[in-house]
Amino acid sequence: MPDQGSHRNRGCLPAHLPRVERIIEPASTLCPCGCGAMTKIGEDVSKRLGVIPAQWRVLVTRRPKYICRHCSGPVVQAHAPEHVVPSGLPTEAAIAHVIVSKFGDHAPFYRQAEIYARQGIRLDRATLGNWSGRACFHLQPIADHMRRRLAMADRLFMDETTAPVLDPGRGQTKKGYFWAIVSDDRGHSGPSPPIVLFRYAPGRSGAFAEQFLDGSCGHFLQCDAYDGYDRLTEVARPQGPWTLVHCWSHLRRRFVKLARNSKSPIAEAAVRHIAQLYTIEAMVRGSSPDIRLAARREHSLPMVAALKPWFEKQLSMISSGSTLAEDIRYALNHWQGLTRFLEDGRLELDTNPVENAIRPVCLTRKNALLHEVGAENWALLASLIEEMNAQIARPKGTCLH
């Protein structure tokens, strides 16, 4: 078993946490023989993790009024500060807490309402939703800035996932889609910070992908083999149409599933071949594009060159209607997109950056239903939560300017 100790906090609790010290002295520091006071020669120190439960508070703001008693001058009073919810209950910190709880910690509004009720605070779901919606108005400039930064990236990742959306009047839900657009250059130590932007659409048509990418200067789009993206290769743009880079991880999953279910030796061999490509990628992750490209041409290129005729040979020996044949045809039909990572050291072997980004959306999807009118707000807030997480994880000096 691998050593898990290095991943725990014991012995290395974060330095930013406040320290509260207590000293436990013996009942007496006088020598029992009557010699007098004993001398301290050392101490044992232990560090344990404590917590103060979240505590709500009432922020009382007073604005005194002043007037001169010697003349008829005007009454002087400071202007009331601006609030996200004018004349409303919540402070900006309270609204931020509600938003992070829902979109970062996947606690829907009805669960939050139950939590707050335990402290005697009665807030219904509609109120919490109204607060979040008002916050979106003020946060929109940040999302617009992220969208402009994404438009400048030469390579983007894109993926979509379903979301149950309320369908008023029918008493049931309908299927909506959240699209994630990601720029992430950490694989080749690029200078740009990672950015995730979510967009909502009522369908999965490639027309929505074209709409969301409108105005982008990028050249490469890393995505899965969903045929809706194919229309992007024909879009007339000053930079030329998009070049699709397909994902080896999606191909590998097919063979992993088949090997697990049917014990197919061909599927198991395919998994081993693809694993060799990932081994090389792990060795050059974080290196410059030139180093990555050189390693791929030296090691990955011969493997990929041998893999295609191997697939074709296996396909000729198995039933054309089998699942294995379907999986092999999937690889051969998308071979050009799968092998583009051999042409540019900035490209990745798979779409893991966007898949990792979209995973929290899937968690929230299990815990909440959306109204189509507020789905764009949902996407905006999810984008900002992901950016906040990325700010915490990324090194100093790589902030989103």
Side-chain angles (χ1 to χ4, degrees), residues 39-53:
T39 302
K40 179 180 177 180
I41 60 172
E43 63 182 2
D44 292 331
V45 179
S46 64
K47 297 180 180 180
R48 303 168 65 206
L49 188 63
V51 62
I52 300 176

Side-chain angles (χ1 to χ4, degrees), residues 98-337:
V98 170
I99 290 173
V100 172
S101 295
K102 178 174 175 60
F103 301 100
D105 300 330
H106 321 296
F109 289 147
Y110 80 91
R111 292 184 186 172
Q112 292 190 52
E114 294 171 355
I115 295 171
Y116 306 149
R118 290 201 292 267
Q119 297 196 38
I121 303 170
R122 307 297 176 181
L123 299 171
D124 57 37
R125 290 175 293 174
T127 299
L128 298 177
N130 177 267
W131 294 356
S132 299
R134 289 179 178 272
C136 287
F137 173 79
H138 296 279
L139 294 171
Q140 187 63 50
I142 301 177
D144 293 339
H145 178 64
M146 294 169 64
R147 188 175 293 114
R148 289 191 294 269
R149 289 297 299 258
L150 275 176
M152 298 165 54
D154 188 54
R155 181 210 56 182
L156 293 174
F157 298 85
M158 198 170 193
D159 198 7
E160 76 289 332
T161 188
T162 59
V165 179
L166 293 173
D167 193 4
R170 296 182 60 202
Q172 53 185 308
T173 62
K174 59 183 178 181
K175 186 182 294 186
Y177 287 86
F178 280 105
W179 296 70
I181 310 167
V182 174
S183 172
D184 191 341
D185 295 338
R186 289 175 291 184
H188 61 269
S189 296
S192 300
I195 303 174
V196 181
L197 190 67
F198 294 102
R199 302 292 300 273
Y200 172 78
R204 197 191 181 197
S205 167
F208 295 114
E210 182 179 347
Q211 172 189 336
F212 297 148
L213 294 176
D214 184 40
S216 294
C217 304
H219 178 62
F220 295 106
L221 181 68
Q222 300 219 216
C223 56
D224 57 29
Y226 168 52
D227 56 13
Y229 293 114
D230 292 344
R231 66 182 293 150
L232 298 175
T233 62
E234 302 174 356
V235 175
R237 303 188 306 154
Q239 306 86 359
W242 288 92
T243 299
L244 302 185
V245 184
H246 289 131
C247 174
W248 281 88
S249 182
H250 282 77
L251 175 62
R252 180 179 59 179
R253 287 175 201 157
R254 288 171 166 260
F255 292 115
V256 168
K257 181 179 179 180
L258 191 61
R260 184 185 301 119
N261 295 338
S262 66
K263 308 299 181 183
S264 166
I266 297 177
E268 292 175 354
V271 172
R272 289 195 298 270
H273 289 315
I274 298 174
Q276 293 176 352
L277 297 178
Y278 275 89
T279 300
I280 297 170
E281 288 301 303
M283 294 168 55
V284 296
R285 192 174 307 282
S287 301
S288 68
D290 291 340
I291 294 176
R292 282 157 57 99
L293 185 59
R296 288 171 178 175
R297 288 180 172 174
E298 180 180 356
H299 303 290
S300 301
L301 181 58
M303 296 180 187
V304 172
L307 189 56
K308 184 178 182 181
W310 183 81
F311 274 142
E312 293 171 337
K313 179 181 178 181
Q314 304 307 316
L315 186 60
S316 66
M317 298 188 300
I318 61 177
S319 171
S320 61
S322 64
T323 302
L324 178 58
E326 179 183 344
D327 294 343
I328 294 177
R329 282 195 294 269
Y330 173 93
L332 296 175
N333 291 340
H334 300 95
W335 198 253
Q336 187 177 22

